[in-house]
């Protein structure tokens, strides 16, 4: 299992400082959508500059113009870029083609995607499919049981990630379960009083 | 009917030059998603500076963190901001609350949104609902008949916009039909050899 630490809703200066701190300490650093929307490609370039031992994921949440957005994000330094599962199948195909051609990775964000749609978009074997519970949604989310349900329903999808309020306890359960490839943690690391301590704890949980 | 001219996939410098040219010549200027993703809030500020007689729409395509993204886009100078109909109902509510509070407008992008979901999100009376045919999709799109179908299915939704390869002939038909409030035109204006001539033609078609 790999840990992805997500940086969101901070200034670019603070994001770069945090990325420097977390370089080599997390497997993947996520440049959150708020940084994409606030600063654009400049933020990708600035984060890329300070990451020497950590993979950079750009949470672009592409939903149209797939080839354009993926090309831009990879060109500026992203290793993994996200597309919404809610996008059209043609958009998903366009993103996948760019990712495969560039030898990079597409992550499909399954936020608000129904099972019937997942059935239609399960044919991207090298993509990572991210189960995602919206930060805006007010209902609860049980990570490990969501993963188990998903695996039963969609056994063909091999590469899985999960996001949405994951805490240390849930990370431990996910690691024991052994299905998920990438655990995405946001504020529990990057808004922690001591992000280095928090990332160390999550890395310990994830790499058992 | 109002005309919305969309700028996409150009440098910020070219976008600003084009916005200067189109100020007062189109009802709404759209800062396309490619500019959001490439330049972030800086592009909103720069376009806002040169627009004195035209409304600025930021095609943010928000799909999560609704309050944050809408607040940022309005604060930097947007008058209308877009959210995806594919977002969770809680995200849509969060965006609408911000828009209403700021006395601004939410546009809901109905890209890839099924009728059952539309039924659940039709309760935002002051929002504009945009019928949208993905640029990545390879199938055809008949604007006027799509609008007619939509009105029959969802008569409660009063404010409608339409986007997706609209040409002058389709704009004329939509104006005759008289259902749509905003016609969104991209490359047919902003990538035209003479954008000023093109915008004048579309404004003539739209304002009959």
């Amino acid at each position: 299992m790999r840990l992805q630490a997500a940086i969101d809703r901070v200034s670019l200066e603070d994001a770069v400082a945090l990325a420097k701190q977390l370089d080599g300490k997390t497997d993947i650093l996520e440049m959150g959508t708020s940084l994409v929307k606030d600063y654009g490609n400049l933020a990708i370039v600035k984060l890329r500059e300070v990451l020497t031992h950590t993979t950079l994921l750009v949470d672009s949440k592409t939903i149209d113009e797939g080839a354009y957005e993926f090309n831009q994000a990879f060109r500026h330094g992203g290793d993994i870029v996200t597309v919404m599962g809610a996008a059209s199948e043609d958009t998903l195909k366009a993103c996948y083609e760019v990712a495969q051609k560039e030898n990079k990775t597409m992550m499909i964000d399954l936020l608000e995607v129904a099972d019937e749609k997942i059935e239609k978009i399960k044919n991207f074997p090298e993509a990572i499919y991210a189960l995602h519970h919206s930060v805006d949604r007010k209902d609860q989310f049980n990570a490990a049981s969501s993963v188990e349900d998903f695996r039963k329903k969609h056994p063909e999808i091999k590469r899985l990630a999960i996001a949405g309020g994951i805490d240390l306890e849930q990370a431990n359960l996910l690691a024991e379960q052994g299905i998920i490839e990438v655990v995405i943690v946001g504020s529990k690391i990057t808004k922690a009083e001591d992000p280095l301590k928090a990332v160390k704890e999550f890395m310990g949980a994830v790499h058992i």
Side-chain angles (χ1 to χ4, degrees), chain A:
Chain A
M1 225 158 74
R2 285 186 292 164
L3 179 67
Q4 176 173 324
I7 303 181
D8 255 308
R9 294 177 298 277
V10 293
S11 71
L12 183 51
E13 202 183 351
D14 287 351
V16 169
L18 201 49
K20 260 187 203 168
Q21 263 200 303
L22 296 176
D23 183 38
K25 307 284 194 293
T26 179
D27 300 299
I28 303 169
L29 186 89
E30 173 187 325
M31 172 177 145
T33 311
S34 57
L35 291 164
V36 173
K37 297 280 177 86
D38 285 344
Y39 300 103
N41 296 326
L42 177 66
I44 309 179
V45 172
K46 292 288 179 196
L47 292 179
R48 174 80 285 161
E49 277 174 14
V50 300
L51 293 179
T52 56
H53 295 85
T54 285
T55 296
L56 177 59
L57 179 139
V58 178
D59 194 12
S60 171
K61 289 193 167 48
T62 293
I63 194 155
D64 201 3
E65 304 183 46
Y68 182 84
E69 292 193 6
F70 265 51
N71 271 315
Q72 286 288 78
F74 288 137
R75 195 164 68 81
H76 288 87
D79 301 304
I80 307 173
V81 180
T82 64
V83 58
M84 300 309 296
S88 74
E89 288 171 65
D90 286 330
T91 297
L92 285 154
K93 276 178 207 158
C95 293
Y96 194 65
E97 276 169 25
V98 173
Q100 295 302 100
K101 195 180 149 222
E102 299 294 324
N103 231 338
K104 307 267 184 169
T105 303
M106 164 168 105
M107 181 180 278
I108 303 175
D109 185 329
L110 296 176
L111 184 74
E112 294 287 309
V113 181
D115 286 330
E116 307 85 74
K117 178 70 183 283
I118 294 173
E119 282 301 309
K120 289 182 191 161
I121 60 169
K122 63 185 183 186
N123 53 332
F124 302 108
E126 295 186 47
I128 301 171
Y129 291 71
L131 283 65
H132 184 180
H133 196 75
S134 160
V135 295
D136 288 332
R137 278 182 66 161
K138 290 166 184 95
D139 49 345
Q140 288 298 310
F141 181 52
N142 181 324
S145 79
S146 297
V147 169
E148 204 184 319
D149 288 352
F150 190 92
R151 176 49 55 91
K152 272 186 200 152
K153 278 187 200 158
H154 312 287
E156 313 88 342
I157 299 179
K158 298 301 176 204
R159 303 188 72 181
L160 290 179
I162 192 159
I166 306 290
D167 58 18
L168 205 53
E169 192 190 354
Q170 290 193 79
N172 276 313
L173 290 171
L174 290 165
E176 280 171 32
Q177 192 182 35
I179 296 173
I180 284 289
E181 177 177 334
V182 179
V183 173
I184 305 170
V185 179
S187 55
K188 299 276 188 310
I189 293 174
T190 53
K191 309 272 187 194
E193 216 171 291
D194 183 349
L196 273 183
K197 181 167 170 269
V199 78
K200 213 175 161 182
E201 285 170 352
F202 275 97
M203 281 293 267
V206 160
H207 293 276
I208 50 167

